[in-house]
């Protein structure tokens, strides 16, 4: 069945470090791919998305490129800030149904 | 322009009681989705509803759980005879009518259910 796998956390970085959170998917057809962010005590916010191969989603300095050949959608940011501390979820929407398939989430802690 | 409204934010129930979680979708959205986030786990799909119609309930436990989205009013996720294992964060999302695999899901802030 369809699945999303993302790297386990927690990830701890110093401010201004480079961030990569890996995400790969298994799905029939060509899913749309998403990164959501959950700040402490809050709900989920869409961070960025890509709907077809080679699309690059970007927002708030974060980027992810839809790589069909490696079935990946890795999240990157060149210089993280303390305010980026949160849990990041990779998700996919495949097929004709409208439900999202989620990774387990990666907790990121950025230290000053 | 209110987003998806969930209430209550926090709900405490004793074992055996009923829990009712409410979700008002974003204005103009006709589809509602419920997800559950268990401690230390990712989100799991529970149910997908349109007004007065359950489209997909493949993620709902077979017993004690039910969901509705009436013609008027919010969507309700109902858990009867709660047990400690029901303690989780329950998130609601909504999307517009038009098929949109590109996303368009807006999430609420969640209801954190604690069963004591």
């Amino acid at each position: 069945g369809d699945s999303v796998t993302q790297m386990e956390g927690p990830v701890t970085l110093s401010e201004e470090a480079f961030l990569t959170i890996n995400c790969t998917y298994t799905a029939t057809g060509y899913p749309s791919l998403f990164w959501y962010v959950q700040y402490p005590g809050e709900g989920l916010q869409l961070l960025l998305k890509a709907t077809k191969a080679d699309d690059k989603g970007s927002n708030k300095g974060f980027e992810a490129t839809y790589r069909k050949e490696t079935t990946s959608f890795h999240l990157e940011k060149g210089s993280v800030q303390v305010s980026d501390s949160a849990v990041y979820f990779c998700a996919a929407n495949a097929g004709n149904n409208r439900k999202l398939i989620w990774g387990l989430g990666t907790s990121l802690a950025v230290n000053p | 322009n209110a987003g998806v409204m969930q209430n209550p934010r926090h709900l405490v129930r004793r074992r055996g009681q009923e829990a009712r979680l409410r979700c008002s979708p974003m204005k103009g959205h006709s589809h509602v989705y419920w997800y559950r986030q268990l401690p230390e786990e990712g989100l799991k799909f529970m149910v997908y509803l349109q007004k007065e119609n359950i489209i997909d309930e493949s993620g709902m436990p077979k017993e004690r759980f039910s969901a509705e989205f009436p013609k008027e009013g919010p969507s309700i996720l109902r858990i009867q005879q709660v047990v400690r294992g029901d303690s989780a964060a329950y998130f609601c999302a909504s999307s517009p009518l038009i098929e949109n695999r590109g996303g368009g899901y807006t999430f609420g802030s969640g209801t954190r259910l604690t069963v004591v």
Side-chain angles (χ1 to χ4, degrees):
Chain A
D2 298 342
S3 66
V4 172
T5 303
Q6 62 182 102
M7 65 184 282
E8 293 185 21
V11 174
T12 303
L13 295 173
S14 297
E15 205 164 22
E16 299 184 1
F18 183 84
L19 168 71
T20 299
I21 301 178
N22 291 339
C23 172
T24 57
Y25 65 89
T26 303
T28 53
Y30 301 100
S32 297
L33 302 172
F34 309 86
W35 277 101
Y36 281 82
V37 57
Q38 184 179 28
Y39 297 103
E42 297 186 14
L44 293 152
Q45 301 176 26
L46 178 64
L47 181 60
L48 53 84
K49 67 181 182 183
T51 59
K52 60 183 188 296
D54 299 325
D55 267 3
K56 177 187 282 188
S58 61
N59 185 24
K60 299 181 181 179
F62 291 89
E63 293 182 341
T65 300
Y66 189 144
R67 302 284 187 201
K68 190 176 75 170
E69 64 275 13
T70 54
T71 62
S72 65
F73 192 54
H74 304 322
L75 182 68
E76 296 181 337
K77 186 173 185 180
S79 176
V80 294
Q81 306 299 313
V82 173
S83 57
D84 293 327
S85 298
V87 180
Y88 292 81
F89 292 92
C90 186
N93 179 339
N96 292 323
N97 66 60
R98 296 161 64 95
K99 62 189 180 187
L100 291 169
I101 309 299
W102 297 84
L104 293 180
T106 302
S107 176
L108 170 66
V110 180
N111 298 320
Chain B
N1 186 16
V4 177
M5 304 301 293
Q6 287 188 251
N7 65 81
R9 286 292 299 271
H10 300 276
L11 180 62
V12 179
R13 284 287 178 266
R14 296 187 183 279
R15 280 180 298 170
Q17 290 184 319
E18 178 179 285
R20 281 183 177 242
L21 288 63
R22 296 174 187 78
C23 170
S24 295
M26 199 164 174
K27 186 176 181 181
H29 285 190
S30 57
H31 298 252
V32 166
Y33 314 78
W34 286 94
Y35 290 84
R36 177 165 62 174
Q37 183 181 32
L38 291 166
E40 308 303 324
E41 294 187 20
L43 281 84
K44 301 293 185 186
F45 169 80
M46 298 183 76
V47 62
Y48 158 39
L49 309 104
Q50 287 178 298
K51 289 278 187 182
E52 301 183 284
N53 195 16
I54 296 175
I55 305 301
D56 181 350
E57 56 181 348
S58 58
M60 288 279 273
K62 298 292 184 225
E63 298 178 348
R64 302 189 296 108
F65 284 72
S66 63
E68 62 176 7
F69 188 16
K71 187 176 180 181
E72 301 291 337
S75 175
I76 305 289
L77 179 67
R78 182 182 177 206
I79 312 172
Q80 296 177 291
Q81 299 175 314
V82 295
V83 300
R84 287 225 170 99
D86 297 332
S87 296
Y90 292 82
F91 289 98
C92 171
S94 71
S95 71
L97 172 65
I98 296 172
E99 177 63 37
N100 185 2
R101 288 182 59 243
Y105 305 93
T106 302
F107 278 84
S109 297
T111 293
R112 283 157 180 80
L113 171 66
T114 303
V115 179
V116 297

